[in-house]
Amino acid sequence: MSESLIKNHNERLKGLIRKRRFWNIFLSIGILLGLIFSSKIIDINASRLLSGLPRLGDYVAQILPSLETNSLFLDSKTEGSISYWYFNLPKYLHLLFETFNMALVATIIGSSIALFLSFFAAKNTAPNSLIYFITRRTLEFFRGVPEIIFAILFVWALGIGPIAGIIAMMLHTTGSLGKLFSEVHENSDVRPREALKASGGNWFSEMKFGLLPQVLPNLISYILLRFEINIRASTILGFVGAGGIGQELYLVINFNYYEEVSAIIFLIILTVISIDILSGYLRKNIIEAE
Amino acid sequence: MTDKDIMNLHPQVFYPLWKRSPLFILTLISIFTYLIFSINYFNFSLNDLLNGFSKMKPILISMVTWNDFFTWNFNSILIGILQTLSMAFLGTIAASIVSIPLGLLASRQVVKISLPRFIIRRFLDFIRGVDILIWALIFVRAFGLGPLSGVLAIFVADTGTLSKLYSEAADNSDNKPIEGLVSSGATKISTLRFGLIPQVMPIFISQSLYFFESNSRSAVILGIVGAGGIGLQLSERMKAQYWDQAFFIILLILIMVAVIDRVSRALREKLINE
Amino acid sequence: MKSLRIKNLKKKFKNTIAVNGINIEIDEGKIIGIIGRSGAGKSTLLRMINRLVDPTEGSIEFDDIKVSSIKGRALRKWRSECAMIFQQFNLVERLDVLTNVLIGSLGRNYNLLNLFGIFSKEEKINALKNLDRFDLSGIALQKAGTLSGGQQQRVAIARALMQKPRILLADEPISSLDPKNAKRVMDDMLKINREDGITIICNLHSLEVAKKYCDRLIGLSDGKVVFDGNPEELTTEISKELYDLDNE
């Protein structure tokens, strides 16, 4: 009896190990083939990499500021001081403020539209399956197309400036939040809504009282997360002329205003990290308030 | 009980709205004020917007009328897609390899002293603060136009994020197997090799797969700053106002991303179940 | 004339027949207990009366309302006259007790302001009075999720009263409660039946409770009526058959 048990167990263990081994080999071969194939396509090779590396080093050295310890805090006329490095700070701050506002406006409008559409994109709240299908596909389209592609299109139509960037981000935000929101709706508890329905409440009161109170903390948390993403996105939309600090960054990189490159990049990093921390703190509080 | 008595039970219920939920009213007002402020700030005018949109009408029409479909250069489009996928693949693999040691070094489970951990984490934050497109722009400056710069941009940007995720996975790993090995006198390296790695490897792989998925999305746009791939094909066609071909490429991208999503999700589920 | 008339009512789900030809007529002002094993079709029957579930065949009529075929506004009006409480209480746990009760008025008297969480002074007084009837006015401002099961079910009854209903459907109202709370809930239902004259149709698992509170019992088995009469008429044999006790 016990012998057969042990035998059985050994058999099973062997099977598991065999399966595991199969997967490991399968993955390794897949990765190897992928590596060979893709290096061929991209025409990557050691000599190109090696010749590029020193140039990268040179470039990084060029864009970093030449700060000198004894003149660090002197005025903007003295080379080697921080204020010399950041002589253009007022302009940067102005552009950063624009970047921030682009992200915020796009998040507010985009998430409002997303909230509205999400009711039609969730299986359990859509009035019928045709509307569900159409809304879902529309949201997927807006989510799937990168915002910068939209930005190119709107810059062409509306001219250079932040409005094009805002609309581009707004559309992308609508797409991705709309989908996330509808998934939250689908995972919500149906019982409170059932009670609303059973008492003769219409669809609007069902959503407002039966659904929203349940999902709201989740939605807010997703909106904050999206805001973080939009802050990042709005720093680069300027590359195609859609406003924000990206426009300036693109300019200084292309015109080789070396030290300004690092000055702007550091400012962007500072902004992104502080927004992340702030929004992370808010999200944590919202979740803990539950 | 009279109505008065009832009202006296919870008088605050009958206060005016602004007194009952000041936070709600305040939020509404501030969002409203902010939107008005931004209309002003961005010089937004509905007229310009409508004009712009009316300009888009012919674009939208030409997007869906594919007259000379059979004369398009499908070869360059196909190569663009293959390049984009290769960029995503190579970038993800390289980032995953570098992220294993970096992630472990940034984890509480491995490095007990907080200073080196702190430095690595801030370094990773720094990398993550720069958008992938900015990295691409920098690499294009150093390595020239082409997909190689794209691979490097993905590699650097992903190293920042993957290392962080890896270190969190290591932080959340089960302590018992590790303690067991330590108590049996195993060396530091073999503790990691047999205590920690087997636990976190499936998570690492599934996260890398997930990143390959999201990179196939971000690799698309790298072409816009000259880092090759399908994005280059797309932005060239948009610049030349070949809207029909541009829209065709956008559809191809959507299909490509959807297929990769499916495959990678299936693989990830398999991996986690094994 | 009997006010609620159910004729040849049937409900088929994909593979099962939940209700298989039920004919009953119900007087106004009584407490009717519906008994039977779980899966006997009790819950589906109640849900069809409120039209949370649409019947496959047959008709439900109340006075001159053709309950089984109305739509839209008329359906919502019927639902507001035909209140329902549930085994799991179905309160909105994140909202306070008072708002949960106020929600009951939405079917009867709805305006756009309600969507912003604003209710008239009359409705608020009304809601507090309803809570007060069940000694719940003290906890009117607590979150519903923080209450005990018994309290939640009584809040649900107060919510049902806000609808000014003619019928109250109770779907296993005490199945998730301990005996003490179950008694309070049943007493409260008895109270609104006797004081307000609201007809109550109540699915009950416990025969003992059913016999004690109900004026009339209807036994269901496999979607069919197998017993209909006064509680005294329910013999041990019939109840054994109803609950399939021999097989347990």
Side-chain angles (χ1 to χ4, degrees):
Chain A
M1 175 76 188
S2 69
E3 221 165 79
S4 75
L5 253 176
I6 291 174
K7 207 175 157 197
N8 217 332
H9 183 77
N10 276 344
E11 283 295 306
R12 269 187 38 212
L13 203 67
K14 262 185 204 156
L16 273 176
I17 292 175
R18 222 176 290 137
K19 225 174 180 180
R20 233 229 174 105
R21 197 167 288 157
F22 167 76
W23 269 102
N24 283 343
I25 292 173
F26 178 77
L27 259 175
S28 314
I29 291 179
I31 290 176
L32 202 70
L33 280 179
L35 279 178
I36 294 171
F37 190 64
S38 47
S39 325
K40 245 214 164 84
I41 286 177
I42 291 189
D43 189 22
I44 214 168
N45 54 53
S47 73
R48 270 186 75 194
L49 261 175
L50 288 177
S51 68
L53 277 178
R55 262 183 287 148
L56 180 67
D58 290 347
Y59 187 69
V60 171
Q62 275 170 323
I63 63 173
L64 285 177
S66 45
L67 296 176
E68 279 158 37
T69 32
N70 46 4
S71 51
L72 208 53
F73 299 106
L74 293 178
D75 65 350
S76 58
K77 303 244 165 20
T78 325
E79 262 187 69
S81 73
I82 290 181
S83 38
Y84 180 80
W85 183 26
Y86 271 105
F87 77 100
N88 232 340
L89 187 64
K91 188 183 184 187
Y92 299 158
L93 288 182
H94 171 80
L95 284 170
L96 264 183
F97 186 61
E98 182 178 275
T99 309
F100 173 85
N101 281 316
M102 282 166 64
L104 188 54
V105 170
T107 310
I108 292 175
I109 303 177
S111 51
S112 313
I113 303 175
L115 178 64
F116 176 74
L117 291 180
S118 64
F119 296 116
F120 303 102
K123 265 196 194 104
N124 56 346
T125 56
N128 62 53
S129 51
L130 182 71
I131 292 179
Y132 164 79
F133 183 82
I134 294 172
T135 323
R136 260 279 150 113
R137 294 296 93 78
T138 314
L139 290 178
E140 270 166 17
F141 178 78
F142 286 125
R143 193 177 77 103
V145 180
E147 48 243 295
I148 199 152
I149 305 286
F150 280 129
I152 296 176
L153 193 67
F154 289 119
V155 165
W156 192 88
L158 304 168
I160 287 179
I163 301 276
I166 292 175
I167 296 178
M169 265 192 284
M170 195 188 87
L171 290 181
H172 196 76
T173 301
T174 302
S176 56
L177 281 186
K179 180 171 177 276
L180 284 173
F181 287 1
S182 65
E183 277 161 10
V184 174
H185 298 340
E186 280 171 359
N187 290 327
S188 67
D189 183 2
V190 293
R191 289 176 307 194
R193 283 177 48 206
E194 191 171 54
L196 255 310
K197 192 175 183 182
S199 70
N202 59 17
W203 186 83
F204 293 101
S205 24
E206 221 181 288
M207 294 301 124
K208 157 72 186 157
F209 293 101
L211 186 74
L212 268 187
Q214 287 184 56
V215 297
L216 203 57
N218 267 333
L219 302 194
I220 293 178
S221 169
Y222 276 136
I223 293 174
L224 283 169
L225 215 61
R226 209 352 93 167
F227 179 57
E228 292 173 37
I229 297 171
N230 279 346
I231 286 277
R232 265 164 228 261
S234 63
T235 61
I236 52 128
L237 286 178
F239 289 8
V240 295
I245 197 158
Q247 221 157 318
E248 183 72 11
L249 180 61
Y250 197 65
L251 189 118
V252 298
I253 289 181
N254 279 336
F255 284 80
N256 283 333
Y257 296 156
Y258 291 116
E259 293 199 355
E260 282 198 62
V261 175
S262 60
I264 293 178
I265 288 182
F266 282 129
L267 265 186
I268 289 179
I269 292 174
L270 199 68
T271 313
V272 167
I273 290 181
S274 3
I275 297 279
D276 279 7
I277 291 173
L278 187 75
S279 140
Y281 172 80
L282 283 174
R283 274 186 288 128
K284 205 175 134 212
N285 274 0
I286 287 168
I287 292 165
E288 269 170 14
E290 283 313 288
Chain B
M1 263 210 212
T2 64
D3 287 0
K4 260 241 143 60
D5 296 333
I6 282 285
M7 286 173 72
N8 280 334
L9 282 176
H10 295 287
Q12 61 270 50
V13 169
F14 298 92
Y15 290 163
L17 187 67
W18 59 269
K19 223 171 161 182
R20 266 188 294 139
S21 36
L23 205 68
F24 173 69
I25 300 287
L26 206 73
T27 317
L28 271 189
I29 290 178
S30 41
I31 290 179
F32 192 69
T33 328
Y34 176 73
L35 286 178
I36 290 184
F37 154 81
S38 36
I39 286 176
N40 220 337
Y41 176 80
F42 289 115
N43 278 326
F44 175 81
S45 101
L46 198 63
N47 236 350
D48 291 354
L49 193 70
L50 292 178
N51 274 339
F53 281 141
S54 65
K55 243 167 89 186
M56 280 181 63
K57 210 169 154 195
I59 304 182
L60 293 178
I61 291 169
S62 68
M63 270 183 178
V64 286
T65 41
W66 300 350
N67 285 332
D68 44 1
F69 182 73
F70 294 103
T71 65
W72 294 356
N73 188 352
F74 293 108
N75 209 21
S76 64
I77 294 177
L78 180 71
I79 289 176
I81 286 189
L82 287 178
Q83 274 185 349
T84 296
L85 287 178
S86 306
M87 277 155 67
F89 185 76
L90 286 176
T92 315
I93 294 279
S96 306
I97 292 170
V98 175
S99 293
I100 292 175
L102 266 182
L104 290 180
L105 285 176
S107 161
R108 242 178 295 127
Q109 284 286 19
V110 182
V111 180
K112 305 287 177 199
I113 322 157
S114 61
L115 186 70
R117 226 169 53 216
F118 179 82
I119 294 171
I120 293 176
R121 290 212 161 176
R122 288 302 84 79
F123 173 66
L124 295 175
D125 286 343
F126 172 85
I127 293 180
R128 267 182 296 123
V130 180
D131 192 272
I132 191 164
L133 215 56
I134 299 178
W135 286 118
L137 208 54
I138 292 176
F139 284 117
V140 165
R141 286 271 124 189
F143 289 85
L145 296 171
L148 177 62
S149 306
V151 174
L152 292 170
I154 295 175
F155 160 63
V156 173
D158 273 19
T159 302
T161 322
L162 267 181
S163 304
K164 183 179 177 246
L165 291 175
Y166 282 8
S167 77
E168 279 166 6
D171 280 350
N172 294 333
S173 62
D174 188 2
N175 234 334
K176 280 176 216 120
I178 299 169
E179 279 167 0
L181 280 163
V182 171
S183 68
S184 69
T187 62
K188 183 91 194 171
I189 297 292
S190 53
T191 314
L192 285 182
R193 169 66 188 84
F194 299 102
L196 187 64
I197 300 284
Q199 282 189 60
V200 292
M201 217 48 203
I203 306 176
F204 285 7
I205 293 177
S206 112
Q207 268 161 350
S208 289
L209 261 172
Y210 183 76
F211 263 71
F212 173 62
E213 208 175 305
S214 88
N215 281 335
S216 59
R217 254 177 256 258
S218 39
V220 163
I221 58 164
L222 295 179
I224 290 166
V225 297
I230 190 71
L232 185 68
Q233 305 293 331
L234 176 59
S235 72
E236 272 176 354
R237 280 167 179 75
M238 285 177 97
K239 272 180 206 149
Q241 298 189 21
Y242 291 153
W243 299 112
D244 46 357
Q245 298 193 31
F247 188 63
F248 175 70
I249 292 180
I250 289 177
L251 287 183
L252 279 186
I253 292 172
L254 289 176
I255 295 170
M256 175 190 94
V257 168
V259 169
I260 289 177
D261 274 10
R262 284 274 159 81
V263 174
S264 141
R265 195 182 309 150
L267 264 177
R268 270 186 289 140
E269 268 164 23
K270 264 262 149 65
L271 263 172
I272 286 167
N273 291 338
E274 285 310 313
Chain C
M1 191 169 91
K2 310 279 186 179
S3 54
L4 183 71
R5 303 178 299 281
I6 294 173
K7 282 181 203 139
N8 191 30
L9 195 65
K10 282 185 188 168
K11 177 69 194 178
K12 284 180 194 140
F13 291 109
K14 263 176 203 148
N15 305 317
T16 50
I17 300 173
V19 168
N20 192 6
I22 285 184
N23 290 289
I24 25 179
E25 301 198 332
I26 285 165
D27 284 318
E28 205 144 9
K30 295 274 164 52
I31 299 186
I32 288 93
I34 300 191
I35 51 178
R37 279 181 297 141
S38 45
K42 305 188 303 258
S43 190
T44 311
L45 174 62
L46 282 203
R47 280 162 179 270
M48 279 195 283
I49 297 176
N50 184 278
R51 286 283 306 279
L52 281 177
V53 171
D54 289 331
T56 320
E57 232 185 283
S59 76
I60 305 167
E61 287 173 27
F62 186 85
D63 288 349
D64 50 358
I65 308 170
K66 296 215 175 328
V67 173
S68 44
S69 58
I70 47 177
K71 279 181 192 148
R73 198 178 290 263
L75 174 60
R76 289 204 296 276
K77 183 166 179 294
W78 161 247
R79 281 178 176 153
S80 80
E81 287 175 8
C82 163
M84 190 153 181
I85 61 174
F86 303 84
Q87 179 176 359
Q88 296 296 332
F89 330 125
N90 295 18
L91 299 183
V92 188
E93 298 195 343
R94 290 216 173 99
L95 295 180
D96 60 32
V97 169
L98 183 66
T99 315
N100 266 293
V101 176
L102 281 166
I103 284 171
S105 71
L106 288 170
R108 168 173 56 81
N109 180 18
Y110 165 80
N111 69 52
L112 213 60
L113 280 180
N114 296 154
L115 284 190
F116 298 91
I118 301 168
F119 293 87
S120 70
K121 186 178 157 194
E122 290 70 43
E123 296 291 10
K124 284 184 204 167
I125 291 177
N126 208 346
L128 280 173
K129 275 183 180 164
N130 281 330
L131 279 171
D132 200 52
R133 279 182 76 179
F134 308 115
D135 299 322
L136 292 164
S137 57
I139 53 166
L141 298 182
Q142 274 188 37
K143 291 251 184 302
T146 63
L147 307 184
S148 73
Q151 282 173 320
Q152 289 199 31
Q153 193 61 291
R154 286 157 57 225
V155 170
I157 295 175
R159 173 177 66 188
L161 279 189
M162 284 301 279
Q163 302 176 218
K164 304 195 172 141
R166 297 177 63 184
I167 296 195
L168 176 71
L169 307 173
D171 189 7
E172 301 279 5
I174 55 170
S175 292
S176 4
L177 302 178
D178 58 73
K180 204 175 129 224
N181 275 309
K183 183 176 182 309
R184 271 203 93 161
V185 167
M186 289 311 294
D187 286 345
D188 284 342
M189 290 215 285
L190 190 67
K191 184 170 159 183
I192 62 168
N193 171 260
R194 299 294 185 250
E195 289 176 10
D196 306 19
I198 296 172
T199 313
I200 293 178
I201 306 178
C202 187
N203 283 348
L204 287 168
H205 200 73
S206 149
L207 256 189
E208 208 180 316
V209 175
K211 275 183 168 169
K212 186 174 165 203
Y213 286 92
C214 299
D215 303 314
R216 173 181 163 195
L217 293 180
I218 295 170
L220 292 191
S221 177
D222 292 330
K224 285 187 171 145
V225 177
V226 291
F227 173 82
D228 188 349
N230 295 329
E232 304 85 57
E233 291 167 355
L234 188 75
T235 58
T236 330
E237 282 79 59
I238 301 173
S239 41
K240 261 186 189 165
E241 194 193 314
L242 262 176
Y243 286 87
D244 223 1
L245 286 180
D246 296 333
N247 294 345
E248 262 175 38

